[in-house]
Structures are given as structure tokens and as C-alpha cells.
Amino acid sequence: MSALLYKQFRLVCHPMTWVFVCFGVMLLIPAYPYTVAFFYVTLGLFFSFMQGREQRDTDFSALLPVRKQDTVIAATAFCAIVECAALVIAVPFAAIGAKINPHGGNPVGLDCNFALFAAALLIFAVFNAAFLPAFYRTGYKVGISYLKAMIPTAVVMLLCEALPHFPALLWLNDTTAAGNLKQLPLLLGALAIYFAALPLTARVAARRYEKVDL
Amino acid sequence: MNTLEVRNLRKVYPAFTLQDVSFTVPAGSVTGLVGRNGAGKSTTLKSLLGLVHPDGGEVRFCGMDTAENEKAFKEAIGVVLGGIDFYPKKKLKTITAVTKKFYVNWDEEAYRRYMALFALDEQKRVDQLSNGMRVKYLIALALSHHARLLILDEPTSGLDPVSRDELVQLFKTLVADGQRSVLFSTHITSDLEKCADAIVYIKEGKVYQAASMQEFMSTNADKGATLEDIIVAIERRAWDERAFI
């Protein structure tokens, strides 16, 4: 598995994936839909999968002494590492963003707080669950798989950004320590969903990929 | 002893069927897989490598079932698929650094020796190599993990006569110790005449004949003196010139 992950990073990963991982810097933009910063991370993953296809990574991997399902598990792990790196990099920018605007006044949607990170985790979980099984149905249709994944991902993004507009849910925009503490269960719940979804996603994608004739 | 035994391999596509393909690759031999375009050579190779799912049949490598021992089988073989360039923008050094992590038997000393023998520069990118050098690089990778069987799909296509001759000589040298074997598909029959010990002739998804080179030539002597003449005679169809006017 470690060899497959090493291959993924050395031979498949597109440089733009790392650029988009750093898009947490967008959390400094005032009055902005911050979940977009995490949407760009999925675009970075799309670039890497496209790079893999163009560089015949599927064929190369198929000839290596590994099980077909291991290549899917490695690709899922690659997505998870990229997404988690994006979340970690976004933390300092979120902290600065909250300092700049300590009273939670983002008029667009979610502000820089735990609720935003919970939303990001849900967005990534939905994206992985839709994109990876769609891609591994063929092993080469990257574009259409990404488009298919974008529909549920966009729905979750819009929903998350819309929530703080309901008066009863205004606390989701709170960036104070007390506000973040109230949002902590949401973050923990989203973390649980994200990490529980990863093996399920990999299993479904691997099952589909097993049936593919290369 | 046979390095590879293929029995009744079958793969059904909507417009093509590979039917009960059976042949063996003895240890220490070069076996040529021949047939016209679309005959089923690549499907045979892909089926035995597990890249496509055969609908029937059995492949045994050194006595073990390859489907049940996929990892061990792939550890012990080297594959060169002609016309497929992996990671064209990556340096050979990078590809090697990744590839060697997958093989328990990786021999760095052997790798250095083959790179020097083939005059390959690790700092070059794949797309900076000629077709012949790309094939040699993949062979160097295969030999560096002590592959007992090299499976090559049209490795000499697009190569100049000198490069082809070098590869053919290399195949003969590789199998000389009686441990390694080569199975390769090609359209360039003169290459096979120079190095093949056995021929597996596939026609319309079936094995037309699988025999030693000597036996193949003698049983088809009435069709021509060279392998090319024999193949043309076997494959020639009734020709209606008026159909093209």
C-alpha cells in the first residue's frame, strides 16, 4: 500500500493539486462563500486523476504485483491525504479570518469556524463517495465522473452555505470561542462521517473496478 | 519444464471471441505469438495477464494458477506493451525509484548493469527516448527484478533494423541460461525467424498451430519458404478486384 501511495504522489499527482490544497488562503477574503475554497481541492483531485489517465497510470498499475483493489484503496487514501492537508492548511487562515471579523458577520454564508470545517468534511465525503465509484466504473472517464460528483457536492455546499441564513441557525456563523464550542459536536460528527465513509467508498469503487476489462 | 501453460483460454466480446486458446512456453525458450491484426494476440496476452477477465480457461506459471497467485505471478514476470508510453514526462530515475518499491527481488546492481549495457541515461525523460530505448528501459526494469518470463506485445514495431536485431539478440541471450523465457507477439516475422524456438499462430481467435519453429516450418513448407510467405498463404482470402473499381 505504501508503495502504491508513493507512486501516486511521485508519478500521478498533478502540481495543481498542491496549489489548490493551499486555497485555504481564500478564508481571508471578506464576505465570501468559504466552502468554495474546499471545492477547489476537489478540482485539484480531478487534475491528478486526469494526469493519471493521460500518463497511462492505469495500465502501469495493472502490471505491478498488486491486487486491483489495492490501487483503488491507494487512490482513496491519496484523496483523503490531499483533503486532510487542505483542511490543516486552512486552519491558520481560518484563525486569522476569525480575528479579522470576530463577530461572525459573513453575509454570504458560513464564517471561519468549526461549522465551516464540518461542512468541508461533509463536502469531501460526498465528493469521494460520488466521484471514486463513478471513475472506477471505467477507470478512464474522469470528466463525466467529476461532473456526476459535482451535482451532490454542489447541493451539500449550497445547503451548508444557506443554513446560517435561517434565524434559528445564526449560531453557525459565530466565530467566538463560545460559538465554536457549541459547533464542536457538528465538527466531531462530520469527522466521524468522513472517516466512516472512506472505507465504504473504497469498497464500492474497488468492487466496480474489479469488473472492468482494461 | 514449462514456464507458462495456457489451457482453453476463452474471452467473449460482442464482435469477437477468443476460443479455447492453448499453448505452452517452455523454460529457456523464445516463443513468438503471431497472427494478423485482430486475430486475438493482444486479447490472449491481456487475458493471461488478467488485464481482461477471461470467460474460461486456465493459466499456469511454473505450475501455479496465476488467477489464484496474481501477486506472485506478476512479481516473476516483466511486461512490455508496445506503443504504450507510461509517464512520458517523467525521468527514468523517478519511474525506477517508484517501480523498485514493488519488487521484493529488486536487484540494484543488476539494474545499474542493464542501464549501462543499454546505454540508458536515468536523467532523461521517457519522451526523450527513441522507441527502441523505451523498450530497452522496460526490459531493464523487468530484468532488474529477475523476471523469469518476459511478455512483450509487439516490442519491435516501429524500430529500425539495427535496434530490432539488438533486441532479438538480447532475447536469445536472456533465455540462454535455460531459466528465463520470452513470449512476444509481433508482425515482423523475420525477427521470429532469427530467435523464436516456438510459434503460436492465432487465426480468428483460435490457435491455428502451436509448434516448435522447425515443426511449424516443415508442416507448412508447401505454403512457402519463409514465415511471412506461410502466414500470407494461410491468411489470403479470395479477392474480387472489381469490388474496388
Side-chain angles (χ1 to χ4, degrees):
Chain A
M1 182 54 62
S2 61
L4 277 167
L5 261 178
Y6 182 70
K7 174 185 73 67
Q8 205 74 21
F9 282 105
R10 287 292 303 268
L11 296 176
V12 181
C13 187
H14 193 279
M16 281 309 290
T17 304
W18 292 120
V19 173
F20 288 133
V21 160
C22 299
F23 266 36
V25 72
M26 292 174 78
L27 302 188
L28 297 178
I29 302 171
Y32 191 78
Y34 293 131
T35 52
V36 171
F38 302 107
F39 154 76
Y40 278 112
V41 179
T42 69
L43 198 58
L45 290 170
F46 164 74
F47 272 97
S48 280
F49 275 83
M50 198 168 62
Q51 166 111 324
R53 184 188 68 183
E54 299 311 312
Q55 304 231 8
R56 309 301 292 260
D57 176 65
T58 309
D59 297 298
F60 184 79
S61 303
L63 299 174
L64 292 171
V66 290
R67 292 176 308 168
K68 218 171 166 185
Q69 67 184 59
D70 290 337
T71 61
V72 180
I73 296 168
T76 310
F78 168 74
C79 291
I81 290 169
V82 166
E83 289 160 355
C84 291
L87 289 169
V88 170
I89 288 171
V91 169
F93 296 110
I96 297 167
K99 287 272 182 214
I100 293 169
N101 182 17
H103 301 297
N106 183 6
V108 181
L110 287 171
D111 214 325
C112 298
N113 55 19
F114 281 179
L116 174 67
F117 282 86
L121 284 163
L122 289 179
I123 288 164
F124 289 151
V126 169
F127 171 77
N128 294 341
F131 176 71
L132 291 167
F135 175 72
Y136 282 107
R137 193 183 279 277
T138 61
Y140 66 91
K141 287 188 176 175
V142 191
I144 194 74
S145 305
Y146 187 73
L147 277 178
K148 280 180 185 171
M150 266 307 99
I151 296 166
T153 307
V155 169
V156 175
M157 274 173 69
L158 284 171
L159 211 65
C160 291
E161 292 288 3
L163 288 178
H165 292 285
F166 293 96
L169 297 172
L170 264 176
W171 58 277
L172 290 175
N173 251 4
D174 195 344
T175 56
T176 62
N180 274 313
L181 198 63
K182 198 174 172 188
Q183 294 156 15
L184 187 60
L186 290 180
L187 181 61
L188 295 176
L191 268 170
I193 290 170
Y194 177 79
F195 284 106
L198 278 176
L200 292 174
T201 297
R203 195 179 303 168
V204 174
R207 203 177 297 152
R208 288 184 178 183
Y209 194 46
E210 279 295 339
K211 293 176 189 162
V212 174
D213 279 342
L214 298 169
Chain B
M1 186 196 168
N2 290 322
T3 302
L4 190 74
E5 291 172 42
V6 179
R7 288 186 208 138
N8 304 317
L9 199 60
R10 195 162 55 86
K11 175 70 186 172
V12 181
Y13 289 111
F16 174 78
T17 302
L18 191 71
Q19 291 177 57
D20 301 325
V21 168
S22 301
F23 63 90
T24 58
V25 177
S29 74
V30 176
T31 300
L33 192 61
V34 290
R36 63 182 303 175
N37 290 336
K41 300 187 297 296
S42 294
T43 305
T44 301
L45 294 182
K46 282 184 169 185
S47 298
L48 68 90
L49 287 168
L51 300 182
V52 300
H53 300 86
D55 294 301
E58 184 187 22
V59 180
R60 300 189 82 83
F61 172 75
C62 296
M64 70 177 177
D65 189 311
T66 59
E68 290 170 8
N69 302 278
E70 188 185 352
K71 200 165 175 270
F73 171 54
K74 286 184 176 174
E75 275 265 7
I77 63 166
V79 183
V80 179
L81 299 178
I84 294 184
D85 299 328
F86 304 118
Y87 316 109
K89 296 293 177 195
K90 297 288 181 187
K91 285 183 180 174
L92 305 190
K93 192 180 157 185
T94 314
I95 297 175
T96 303
V98 171
T99 305
K100 68 183 181 188
K101 290 197 176 292
F102 289 91
Y103 294 96
V104 180
N105 294 331
W106 183 265
D107 183 341
E108 189 66 24
E109 200 182 309
Y111 171 72
R112 298 276 156 220
R113 201 169 59 242
Y114 286 116
M115 291 297 275
L117 184 71
F118 298 151
L120 287 160
D121 179 2
E122 268 201 319
Q123 296 302 324
K124 281 194 172 176
R125 295 195 315 263
V126 171
D127 62 0
Q128 289 174 317
L129 301 179
S130 66
N131 287 338
M133 294 302 258
R134 287 177 202 183
V135 172
K136 283 180 181 173
Y137 173 61
L138 293 174
I139 291 173
L141 287 182
L143 296 178
S144 302
H145 62 84
H146 300 296
R148 289 187 65 185
L149 172 67
L150 282 181
I151 297 175
L152 307 102
D153 191 9
E154 301 192 19
T156 53
S157 297
L159 302 193
D160 65 78
V162 180
S163 300
R164 278 185 9 234
D165 188 61
E166 281 176 3
L167 276 182
V168 163
Q169 294 307 323
L170 175 68
F171 295 159
K172 285 167 75 173
T173 311
L174 288 177
V175 301
D177 64 358
Q179 299 295 311
R180 290 180 287 211
S181 308
V182 174
L183 170 66
F184 81 109
S185 75
T186 184
H187 288 299
I188 306 171
T189 51
S190 58
D191 292 345
L192 290 176
E193 281 166 345
K194 286 181 193 168
C195 70
D197 302 299
I199 294 288
V200 178
Y201 190 112
I202 295 189
K203 187 172 188 281
E204 293 165 3
K206 295 179 194 163
V207 174
Y208 178 83
Q209 190 174 358
S212 69
M213 188 68 163
Q214 208 174 7
E215 188 189 340
F216 187 86
M217 295 304 285
S218 62
T219 53
N220 293 288
D222 58 319
K223 297 184 180 78
T226 66
L227 199 52
E228 183 165 322
D229 291 340
I230 293 169
I231 291 171
V232 170
I234 292 169
E235 298 286 352
R236 187 178 285 134
R237 286 185 290 194
W239 190 259
D240 183 357
E241 288 182 4
R242 287 166 303 174
F244 290 92
I245 301 170

